[in-house]
Amino acid sequence: MRRAHIAVIFAISTALAGCGHQHSPLAQLRAEVRNNPDSVPARLALADASLEAEDYHDAFIQYSAARELEQSSFDATLGVATAQERLNDVGGAVESVNEALALKPGDPEALALQGRLMLRMNKPAEAIEVLTEALQTDPENDEAHRFLPIAYLHTDQLAAAENAGRAAAAQMPDSVEAHLTLANVLIAREKTDEAETALRKAMELDPADAEPPLRLAELLVREERGIDEVMELTERSARLDSGEGDADAVAAIALRREGRDEEALRRLNAAAMAHPRNVRLWLMLAVIYRDLGEDEAAARSAAMAFRFAPRRRVRAAGADMPADGAAGQPSPDAQAAASAEN
């Protein structure tokens, strides 16, 4: 957020440093708020720093206090909306960002947040409208660039998604996320060579990020490319971040295509033990065991998938109740797992 009051952080830090204090910037900002509890700039500076430190609850408290002190403060109102969104209070964030836009109509930062919230509410058409408006006002708005191609993807406007994805990568050439999004769009457009280039660029930008090698491995498996690089990429991804065992699932697919079912089983078994709530791993195990004629092992794996699969809930008598009144209706994944037992 580009705000004039950010200068308060530097001013306070400089003043305290001159006095020999060695406190952290957050501690310094908290001290300033304690000394000047009615200072809106001090509250906003602390809120911004808390948001940057991912202390979203404290950021919400400070933005809210600043808004109470100055109800017409756009920065405070937008800050409240941002903190609410980070705290997954989507409804509250929508109300707050609407209040911010009432204070400052057409503000691109507020519009970008509104567009992101529309996506979270599964309203991609509305998201496209406000994100486009944000870019018309500020063509260099990173947030709007980041989410516009995703919104187009959700509405199956693939050509527009590609244009937006390329614009985002050009605007943010050092953003791993922008190149990953562009790769997803290019895959949807069946431009796999360019998608591979985008994924390799993302890997180059941040060698410590586990997602680009995983996505590249998925693409190579889809294209039935050589298994050696797939295995190298999945091992690299798992080493950087084990996640939920998704890298092991991709590796298992590649191994099966090479006829190496026993290796696939060993890798999937280890991953399923480490990540028992990943239903996909149990389903894959059930299928392999079934194909190998090991029906008992297939049934056990299917039962584990059924156990951990999320349950769908239906509204009954004005309240959310499990569909069967007790355990709930199995999700499609769980139903597929159950069918593997038969």
Side-chain angles (χ1 to χ4, degrees), residues 18-40:
C19 295
H21 291 270
Q22 299 299 321
H23 301 299
S24 69
L26 271 172
Q28 296 169 7
L29 292 167
R30 290 192 183 103
E32 179 65 17
V33 167
R34 285 195 299 271
N35 293 332
N36 300 280
D38 294 333
S39 169
V40 172

Side-chain angles (χ1 to χ4, degrees), residues 7-332:
V8 172
I9 297 176
F10 177 77
I12 295 171
S13 300
T14 302
L16 289 173
C19 295
H21 291 270
Q22 299 299 321
H23 301 299
S24 69
L26 271 172
Q28 296 169 7
L29 292 167
R30 290 192 183 103
E32 179 65 17
V33 167
R34 285 195 299 271
N35 293 332
N36 300 280
D38 294 333
S39 169
V40 172
R43 293 274 186 184
L44 289 175
L46 176 56
D48 288 346
S50 296
L51 194 70
E52 183 70 21
E54 299 184 1
D55 187 349
Y56 304 134
H57 181 68
D58 190 54
F60 172 75
I61 291 172
Q62 299 303 328
Y63 283 129
S64 298
R67 185 167 62 170
E68 287 181 10
L69 290 167
E70 187 180 328
Q71 295 185 1
S72 62
S73 171
F74 169 80
D75 289 340
T77 305
L78 182 59
V80 168
T82 302
Q84 287 173 316
E85 193 248 355
R86 302 289 174 85
L87 291 167
N88 292 317
D89 178 10
V90 175
V94 169
E95 291 183 11
S96 296
V97 78
N98 288 341
E99 292 175 13
L101 284 166
L103 292 168
K104 195 173 181 180
D107 178 80
E109 192 173 348
L111 287 171
L113 175 56
Q114 187 180 52
R116 189 163 72 242
L117 290 166
M118 291 300 102
L119 273 176
R120 293 190 63 173
M121 296 171 67
N122 197 28
K123 296 180 178 180
E126 291 88 337
I128 290 170
E129 183 178 345
V130 295
L131 292 170
T132 300
E133 184 181 350
L135 287 174
Q136 288 172 345
T137 305
D138 178 12
E140 297 182 356
N141 187 285
D142 286 353
E143 285 298 289
H145 274 294
R146 183 173 288 114
F147 289 97
L148 184 57
I150 298 172
Y152 278 126
L153 271 179
H154 279 292
T155 57
D156 293 324
Q157 298 183 63
L158 299 186
E162 180 180 345
N163 291 335
R166 292 187 187 279
Q171 169 64 23
M172 300 175 287
D174 297 329
S175 168
V176 171
E177 183 181 356
H179 289 282
L180 286 173
T181 299
L182 176 59
N184 287 336
V185 172
L186 291 169
I187 290 170
R189 295 277 280 166
E190 299 185 358
K191 297 182 178 182
T192 53
D193 288 345
E194 290 183 84
E196 180 179 341
T197 298
L199 289 170
R200 293 191 186 279
K201 177 63 176 179
M203 287 175 56
E204 177 187 321
L205 287 170
D206 187 358
D209 192 322
E211 187 170 1
L214 175 59
R215 300 307 166 208
L216 179 56
E218 289 177 336
L219 177 62
L220 296 182
V221 168
R222 171 180 167 172
E223 294 296 298
E224 299 186 1
R225 303 270 285 277
I227 189 173
D228 290 341
E229 186 175 13
V230 171
M231 299 305 293
E232 178 185 340
L233 289 166
T234 54
E235 287 167 8
R236 173 177 174 178
S237 180
R239 185 172 62 252
L240 291 169
D241 183 358
S242 62
E244 293 298 321
D246 291 333
D248 297 289
V250 174
I253 294 171
L255 287 167
R256 288 211 76 193
R257 286 184 176 171
E258 295 286 311
R260 295 156 64 178
D261 288 346
E262 293 299 330
E263 289 182 66
L265 278 174
R266 285 197 296 272
R267 186 146 184 173
L268 284 173
N269 267 310
M273 291 298 105
H275 310 284
R277 294 187 177 279
N278 188 333
V279 175
R280 179 189 184 193
L281 300 174
W282 293 114
L283 288 172
M284 291 179 68
L285 279 169
V287 170
I288 297 176
Y289 279 127
R290 183 193 62 200
D291 290 347
L292 294 175
E294 299 186 32
D295 294 339
E296 185 177 340
R300 286 197 301 268
S301 297
M304 290 298 290
F306 188 90
R307 174 183 175 185
F308 290 112
R311 300 297 197 259
R312 285 191 307 211
R313 302 174 73 86
V314 297
R315 187 169 297 277
D320 285 331
M321 294 289 291
D324 62 2
Q329 181 178 351
S331 69

